[in-house]
């Protein structure tokens, strides 16, 4: 049954090919069925393959399927092959499962769009690339998928390419990601240099044999790979592309820029846990960057007025949590949060899409309000998603976020790590606040809509509300995959445990360490209480400021005007990049061309031509027309040649 | 065996010239359609003939095969000597493919002096093919000069506004280069004579001879000038943008696709294997120039207002990659370099075809004259998009394989900094290509002239589809291409590796097991003649 894994990426690929060649001639209905059917079939194959994997013995759950040799050069070989293990199993289920729901949603959302077939072509291609990314059995295959999803991201962000902002955003996403890929490529090169292969199994098996923790090659490799993750998963300082990516159609934001692609960096770091465990410094760096990003993006989300931008910064922030978890060695917690986040963030984006659709493409939350009565299903599901991300028990977000904070608190590496925990808790407070600011401004209070818009507001059709409902259920109960406290019932830990065996020792060690200090259970319950208090406070603060005392919001904006504009303007990071990198580089390029190329080299060459011209004029005088002179020349020349030949 | 005696290499080389000759004599210049069809037929026949080499060619052999040998000027040791290895054969296949596409692309673009134009293209074809097969240095030099003239004519007669300036510049640059190259060859010729008492231009004999290091250095740098100008390696590149911008579309396709490869081919065929000690010494200098070329070419491409000039500068960047690959002197680097020669020929060739198609419709190549074409010409957009990403080096398409192997080679050779700097080309490539693509294809269609732009017609699709197929083929299944060149690459690399060992340094670029594999697989001399 595990062989079905080869079919998982095949279905979307076939759909891409069919759509590519005859998509234009098919009806919208046929295109929709083709696209959804392919991802659905892929989901089926995934379930089958994972069931096969579950039937295998614990500790040996790993299957490799090699398809054909790809690059063969000297002693360096990379075949195309898939690796199915507990980690990739989780990923393919998320990608095809959430992907399927979003495909169905898209048939409703994009129904009026002229580029319907093109949209599904790109979306299927994305699913194919994403599956390649998570199923590849080597870094290079991961990288094909990695760049492939980047391509689809580029194409789908710029889907409405007549809008300059959309095509700018697509280009920016691709280029910023390329900055990350630059690091990733160098990381791969170092892996080949030290291990002679990019195959996961061989690299991970040999790493502990060849290197000690903290050896320079390990530090460099993991640092460079992490640069790639920063780009793909929008971590500081390469986060700038993700908010702009919201120019794409909303289902794209849900699938690519929330649930799947942007988590690829987290997946990669977790997949490489065997290497990261040998580079504790970089692991700490991952945690710090994750924490800073979570906090930083949270501050921006507090004050944004575009419904999708709030969610985008929220995504950046939540990805920060995942890296924070990975950085303290809690890989299972990172993947757990990845899964729950895929549920609730996809739900929230799709919910926002439902709102935007109903309001005729209005995205400014200042022009919404009171939508609760018009859109009951959207409202209900959106609130569930918001409660989940805010961390209200027992919803999915609570379970996974709480586990992360617990692991961070217990990492037990001194006072610096307490700061990370505090960063996490403060971010949790902000998360609860900005999500419910969004909920209250959108669904509650008085309507601030234009009259014309308000007349036409209506609940979305079933292709949109059914996926919302399913995702709401998953957001509500998904957390039970990782029940805290009772380890025996924690499905996530039991399933993923063997994928991170190196890391497992790490956490057990930390856990015993913590257990010796304070009672294990007390800490866990204590932290849980803190989390809940923080989440509830965030919601209450939002309720007070937004619904009860709007004047307070006004006053705070004025009293803290610097902070307000700092957050509103996204800490001016884009402006900083333009000022320090983009513009100087462009000026330098201009100078290279106009000064060096045109004047410098060409000037020299044309100068030589002038010299030739002038000397030609002089030499012309030698052409006397007298045969004797020529004969003399010939004799002298001959003599010279003879001299040269003999000596 | 009858088939073995048939001089298939010569047949492939001379078929275009014979076609041109017959056309010159028998077809009157006013029968334009007939001329176009005949030229296309000749090129197609030549392509199929070049394919017919494949079954006779042994992929697992490093030495030259299918040799044709005859005395030419025995007193000077000049022979008519042709032969091929995997590298030559792959480049010949590229040449015959691009030859067909170049002629097909000229059907509507060239309306003046069609006969002379087609004759020039066909003779150019013969010159280029001869360069790749010639194994006698004088023969090589003759072909090298033969291709110079029709190319200069193509630019100077059928080119754009500043065509004469560009043609002269092209001619002078290349001529100066080839004179230095000739001097380099003569140095080797006399040095060989001094040691053995034999005058010969036979490349195979010269390859087997170890030249004194002093001679090698002189010869290396003389050859370097000839080849580096052709590549073009920074800072010898300034003829290229002018030549490209002024050349007709087919001229640009051939120029970028094949002519530039002559330079890199020269390095791998002559400099590296014949002058190993001098080559090893030159690695740092050439690596620096390659890196500067990669970054400089990309930056300057970024700020070009003219699409064609942008593509021309991108060639400087891509060829920098190829040079870096060759001079890593590792199997991966050299193999990647050779593959990247093919890749660049395909993707840049396609880019010039696409720019030419735009130019035919709008009579301008300025980026600002376009914008928002995507909605108007969907087929064009799709092909342009694929080629753009091939040029950027997207995994799954051809460009990635070459670039990655080159970078891998640079790391194997412990050229850490060079490799890292070259890898920055990955970012810059995306910057300039996507900026251009965006400004031409995306946005609103706000220029009145672009409103009725027709999409690709069938003939234009026929010129582009073969390239697109190859772009995917090499990207997804590069093995046959890599395999074809592997034996020759291993041979060259082993030769340099031996030189390194003899010089007393550690063999760092080739793992010992790889050398062993190389010798086991390719050590025995085949009976290729």
């Amino acid at each position: 049954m595990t062989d079905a894994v080869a079919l998982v990426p095949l279905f979307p690929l076939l759909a891409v090919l069919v759509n590519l060649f005859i998509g234009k001639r098919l009806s919208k209905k046929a295109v929709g069925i083709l696209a959804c059917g392919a991802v659905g079939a892929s989901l089926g194959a995934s379930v089958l393959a994972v069931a096969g994997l579950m039937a295998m013995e614990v500790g040996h759950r790993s299957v490799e399927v090699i398809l054909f040799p790809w690059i063969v050069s000297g002693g360096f070989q990379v075949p195309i092959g898939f690796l199915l293990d507990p980690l990739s199993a989780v990923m393919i289920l998320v990608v095809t499962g959430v992907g399927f729901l979003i495909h169905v949603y898209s048939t409703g959302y994009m129904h009026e769009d002229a580029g319907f077939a093109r949209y599904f072509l790109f979306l299927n291609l994305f699913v194919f690339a994403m599956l390649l990314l998570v199923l590849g059995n080597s870094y290079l295959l991961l990288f094909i998928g990695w760049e492939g999803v980047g391509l689809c991201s580029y194409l789908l962000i710029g889907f409405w390419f007549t809008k300059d902002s959309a095509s700018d955003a697509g280009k920016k996403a691709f280029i910023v990601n390329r900055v990350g890929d630059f690091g990733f490529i160098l990381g791969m090169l170092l892996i080949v240099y030290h291990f002679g292969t990019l195959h996961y199994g061989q690299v991970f098996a040999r790493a502990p044999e060849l290197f000690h923790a903290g050896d320079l090659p390990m530090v460099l490799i993991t640092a460079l790979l992490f640069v790639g993750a920063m780009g793909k998963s929008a971590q500081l300082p390469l986060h700038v592309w993700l908010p702009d990516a919201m120019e794409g159609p909303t289902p794209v934001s849900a699938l690519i820029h929330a649930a799947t692609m942007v988590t690829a960096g987290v997946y990669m770091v977790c997949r490489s846990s065997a290497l990261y465990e040998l580079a504790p410094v970089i692991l700490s760096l991952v945690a710090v960057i994750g924490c800073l990003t979570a906090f930083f993006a949270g501050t921006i989300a507090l004050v944004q007025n575009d419904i999708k931008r709030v969610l985008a910064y929220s995504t950046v922030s939540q990805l920060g949590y995942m890296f924070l978890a990975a950085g303290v060695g809690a890989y299972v917690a990172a993947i757990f949060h990845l899964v729950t986040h895929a549920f609730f963030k996809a739900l929230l984006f799709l919910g926002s899409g439902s709102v935007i659709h109903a309001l005729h493409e209005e995205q400014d939350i200042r022009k919404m309000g009171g939508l609760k009565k018009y859109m009951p299903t959207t409202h209900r599901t959106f609130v569930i998603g918001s409660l989940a991300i805010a961390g209200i028990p027992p919803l999915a977000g609570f379970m996974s976020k709480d586990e992360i904070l617990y692991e961070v608190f217990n990492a037990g590496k001194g006072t610096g790590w307490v700061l990370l925990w505090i960063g996490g808790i403060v971010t949790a407070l902000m998360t609860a606040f900005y999500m419910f600011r969004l909920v209250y401004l959108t669904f509650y209070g008085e309507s601030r809509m234009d009259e014309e818009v308000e007349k036409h507001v209506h609940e979305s059709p079933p292709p949109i509300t059914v996926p919302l409902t399913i995702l709401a259920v998953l957001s509500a109960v998904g957390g039970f995959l990782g029940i805290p406290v009772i380890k025996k019932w924690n499905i996530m830990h039991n399933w993923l445990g063997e994928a991170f065996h190196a890391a497992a020792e790490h956490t057990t060690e930390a856990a015993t360490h913590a257990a010796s200090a304070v009672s294990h259970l007390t800490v866990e319950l204590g932290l849980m209480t803190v989390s809940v208090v923080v989440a509830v406070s965030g919601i209450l603060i939002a309720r007070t400021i937004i619904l009860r005392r709007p004047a307070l919001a006004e006053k705070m904006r004025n009293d803290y005007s610097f902070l307000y504009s700092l957050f509103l303007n996204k800490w001016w990071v884009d402006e900083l990049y333009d000022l320090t990198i983009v513009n100087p580089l462009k000026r330098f390029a201009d100078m290279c061309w106009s000064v060096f190329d045109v004047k410098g080299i060409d000037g020299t060459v044309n100068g030589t031509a002038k010299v030739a011209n002038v000397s030609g004029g002089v030499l012309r005088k030698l052409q006397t027309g007298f045969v004797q002179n020529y004969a003399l020349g010939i004799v002298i020349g001959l003599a010279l040649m003879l001299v040269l030949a003999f000596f | 065996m009858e088939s073995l005696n048939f001089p298939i290499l010569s047949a492939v080389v001379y078929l275009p010239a014979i076609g041109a000759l017959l056309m010159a004599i028998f077809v009157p210049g006013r029968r334009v359609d007939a001329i176009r069809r005949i030229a296309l037929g000749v090129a197609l026949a030549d392509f199929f003939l070049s394919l017919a080499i494949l079954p006779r060619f042994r992929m697992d052999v490093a030495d030259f095969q299918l040799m044709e040998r005859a005395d030419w000027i025995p007193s000077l040791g000049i022979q008519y000597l042709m032969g091929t290895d995997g590298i030559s054969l792959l480049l010949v296949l590229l040449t015959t493919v691009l030859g067909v596409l170049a002629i097909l692309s000229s059907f509507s673009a060239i309306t003046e002096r069609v006969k002379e134009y087609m004759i020039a293209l066909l003779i150019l074809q013969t010159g280029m093919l001869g360069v790749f097969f010639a194994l006698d240095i004088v023969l090589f030099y003759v072909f090298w000069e033969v291709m110079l003239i029709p190319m200069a004519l193509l630019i100077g007669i059928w080119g754009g506004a500043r065509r004469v300036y560009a043609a002269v510049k092209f001619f002078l640059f290349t001529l100066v280069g080839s004179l230095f190259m000739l001097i380099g060859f003569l140095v080797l010729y006399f040095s060989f004579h001094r040691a053995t008492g034999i005058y010969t231009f036979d490349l195979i004999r010269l390859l087997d001879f170890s030249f004194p290091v002093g001679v090698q250095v002189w010869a290396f740098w003389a050859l370097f000038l000839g080849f580096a100008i052709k590549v073009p390696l920074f800072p010898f590149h300034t003829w290229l943008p002018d030549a490209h911008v002024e050349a007709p579309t087919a001229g640009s396709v051939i120029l970028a696709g094949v002519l530039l490869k002559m330079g890199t081919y020269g390095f791998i065929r002559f400099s590296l294997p014949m002058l190993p000690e001098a080559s090893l010494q030159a690695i740092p200098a050439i690596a620096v120039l390659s890196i500067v070329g990669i970054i400089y070419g990309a930056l300057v491409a970024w700020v070009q207002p003219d699409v064609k000039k942008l593509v021309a500068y991108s060639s400087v960047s891509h060829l920098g990659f190829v040079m870096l690959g060759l001079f890593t002197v590792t199997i991966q680097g050299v193999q990647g370099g050779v593959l990247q020669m093919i890749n660049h020929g395909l993707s840049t060739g396609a880019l010039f075809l696409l720019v030419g198609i735009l130019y035919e419709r709008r009579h301008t190549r300025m980026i600002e004259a376009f914008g928002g074409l995507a909605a108007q010409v969907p087929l064009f957009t799709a092909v342009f998009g694929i080629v753009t990403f091939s040029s950027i080096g997207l995994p799954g398409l051809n460009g990635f394989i070459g670039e990655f192997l080159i970078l891998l080679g640079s790391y194997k050779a412990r050229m850490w900094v060079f490799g890292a700097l070259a890898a920055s080309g990955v970012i810059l490539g995306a910057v300039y290509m996507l900026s251009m693509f965006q400004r031409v294809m995306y946005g609103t269609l706000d220029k009145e002239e672009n409103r009725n732009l027709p999409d690709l017609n069938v003939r234009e699709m026929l010129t582009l589809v073969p390239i697109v197929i190859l772009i995917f083929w090499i990207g997804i299944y590069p093995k046959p291409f890599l395999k074809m060149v592997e034996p020759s690459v291993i041979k060259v690399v082993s030769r340099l590796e031996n030189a390194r060992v003899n010089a007393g340094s550690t063999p760092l670029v080739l793992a010992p097991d790889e050398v062993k594999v190389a010798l086991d697989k390719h050590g025995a001399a085949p009976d290729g003649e």
Side-chain angles (χ1 to χ4, degrees), chain A residues 234-312:
Chain A
Q235 296 297 289
L236 278 175
L238 297 180
H239 65 286
V240 288
W241 64 273
L242 185 58
D244 289 20
M246 297 301 123
E247 290 289 340
T250 306
V252 169
S253 312
L255 178 60
I256 302 184
H257 304 118
T260 55
M261 181 186 84
V262 288
T263 62
V266 180
Y267 163 78
M268 191 272 293
V269 170
C270 292
R271 171 61 78 196
S272 315
S273 62
L275 301 182
Y276 279 89
E277 288 300 315
L278 291 171
V281 186
I282 301 305
L283 215 43
S284 306
L285 179 76
V286 171
V288 171
I289 297 264
C291 183
L292 283 177
T293 308
F295 174 79
F296 164 87
T299 62
I300 298 173
L302 294 175
V303 296
Q304 296 300 309
N305 291 317
D306 181 314
I307 186 169
K308 286 182 71 180
R309 293 228 166 205
V310 175
L311 293 175

Side-chain angles (χ1 to χ4, degrees), chain A residues 390-404:
Chain A
I392 298 297
L395 303 181
F398 164 78
M399 302 282 205
S400 54
K401 199 194 291 181
D402 190 61
E403 186 176 338
I404 291 174

Side-chain angles (χ1 to χ4, degrees), chain A residues 73 161 167-168 193 597 602, chain B residues 169 296 313 335 414 438:
Chain A
S73 174
F161 55 79
S167 65
D168 277 340
Y193 181 79
D597 235 77
D602 260 15
Chain B
K169 196 168 169 183
Y296 183 91
Y313 276 106
Q335 219 171 0
R414 299 186 197 166
Q438 181 193 21

Side-chain angles (χ1 to χ4, degrees), chain B residues 160-177:
Chain B
R162 295 172 72 224
R163 55 182 177 265
V164 176
Y165 169 77
V168 171
K169 196 168 169 183
F170 164 76
F171 195 86
L172 286 181
F173 258 92
T174 327
L175 192 68
V176 169

Side-chain angles (χ1 to χ4, degrees), chain B residues 408-419:
Chain B
L408 198 59
S410 73
Y411 264 53
K412 270 206 145 173
R414 299 186 197 166
M415 299 157 86
W416 311 116
V417 180
F418 291 134

Side-chain angles (χ1 to χ4, degrees), chain A residues 24 68-76 78 80 140 143-145 147-148 151 154-155 158 161-164 166-171 174-175 178-182 185-186 188-190 192-194 198 224 582 585-590 592-593 596-598 601-602 605-606 609, chain B residues 165 169 173 234-235 237-238 241-242 296 299-300 302-305 309 313 331-332 335 374-375 378 389 392-396 400-401 404-405 407-408 410-412 414 416 419-420 423-424 426-428 430-431 434-435 437-438 441-444 475-479 482 486 514:
Chain A
K24 278 207 168 151
F68 62 90
W70 182 38
I71 297 181
V72 183
S73 174
F76 176 72
V78 184
I80 301 272
L140 204 61
F143 190 67
I144 316 181
E147 288 265 291
L151 168 73
Y154 166 82
L155 292 169
F161 55 79
T162 49
K163 260 168 70 186
D164 283 338
S167 65
D168 277 340
K171 184 179 71 175
F174 197 87
I175 291 171
R178 273 268 157 147
V179 176
D181 294 350
F182 165 72
I185 289 176
L186 294 185
M188 282 198 292
L189 296 178
L190 278 179
V192 180
Y193 181 79
H194 288 289
L198 286 166
L224 287 165
V582 181
L585 199 63
K586 192 142 198 174
R587 273 200 300 277
F588 177 68
D590 250 325
C592 280
W593 179 40
F596 192 74
D597 235 77
V598 176
I601 303 178
D602 260 15
V605 173
N606 292 342
Chain B
Y165 169 77
K169 196 168 169 183
F173 258 92
F234 178 91
H237 63 277
T238 64
D242 284 312
Y296 183 91
L299 284 177
V300 176
W302 187 24
V303 294
Q304 294 306 313
K309 242 181 181 163
Y313 276 106
I331 294 178
Q332 287 80 19
Q335 219 171 0
F389 278 98
I392 290 175
L394 189 82
F400 173 72
I401 314 276
F404 187 74
L405 286 175
L407 292 174
L408 198 59
S410 73
Y411 264 53
K412 270 206 145 173
R414 299 186 197 166
W416 311 116
S424 73
V426 165
I427 305 172
L428 295 174
V431 171
L434 290 186
S435 302
F437 191 78
Q438 181 193 21
M441 306 311 296
Y442 290 164
T444 44
I476 294 168
Y477 194 62
K479 204 179 153 203
L482 291 171
E486 190 174 43
E514 280 182 349

Side-chain angles (χ1 to χ4, degrees), chain A residues 195-403:
Chain A
F195 298 97
T197 175
L198 286 166
H199 182 264
Y200 289 145
Q202 291 171 24
V203 172
F204 300 152
R206 289 178 62 194
E209 295 166 12
L210 293 174
F211 298 102
H212 297 289
D215 282 355
L216 185 64
M218 283 295 111
V219 170
L220 282 176
I221 287 171
T222 49
L224 287 165
L225 292 181
F226 183 56
V227 172
M230 283 174 173
K232 191 102 308 181
S233 296
Q235 296 297 289
L236 278 175
L238 297 180
H239 65 286
V240 288
W241 64 273
L242 185 58
D244 289 20
M246 297 301 123
E247 290 289 340
T250 306
V252 169
S253 312
L255 178 60
I256 302 184
H257 304 118
T260 55
M261 181 186 84
V262 288
T263 62
V266 180
Y267 163 78
M268 191 272 293
V269 170
C270 292
R271 171 61 78 196
S272 315
S273 62
L275 301 182
Y276 279 89
E277 288 300 315
L278 291 171
V281 186
I282 301 305
L283 215 43
S284 306
L285 179 76
V286 171
V288 171
I289 297 264
C291 183
L292 283 177
T293 308
F295 174 79
F296 164 87
T299 62
I300 298 173
L302 294 175
V303 296
Q304 296 300 309
N305 291 317
D306 181 314
I307 186 169
K308 286 182 71 180
R309 293 228 166 205
V310 175
L311 293 175
Y313 280 106
S314 162
T315 304
V316 175
S317 180
Q318 298 298 311
L319 290 165
Y321 272 118
M322 296 174 209
F323 281 109
L324 177 58
V328 298
Y331 305 106
V332 175
I335 296 297
F336 183 27
H337 198 55
L338 185 159
V339 173
T340 61
H341 178 257
F343 297 153
F344 59 70
K345 192 52 70 63
L347 167 63
L348 290 169
F349 264 116
L350 296 184
S352 78
S354 176
V355 169
I356 293 166
H357 220 47
L359 268 58
H360 296 276
E361 310 310 313
E362 182 58 72
Q363 302 196 11
D364 191 332
I365 47 178
R366 289 169 298 190
K367 294 183 184 165
M368 296 179 185
L371 283 171
K372 185 181 161 193
K373 62 173 181 260
Y374 298 107
M375 311 182 71
T377 310
T378 306
H379 162 249
R380 264 197 299 275
T381 53
F382 200 90
V383 169
I384 292 172
S386 302
L387 287 170
I389 187 175
I392 298 297
L395 303 181
F398 164 78
M399 302 282 205
S400 54
K401 199 194 291 181
D402 190 61
E403 186 176 338

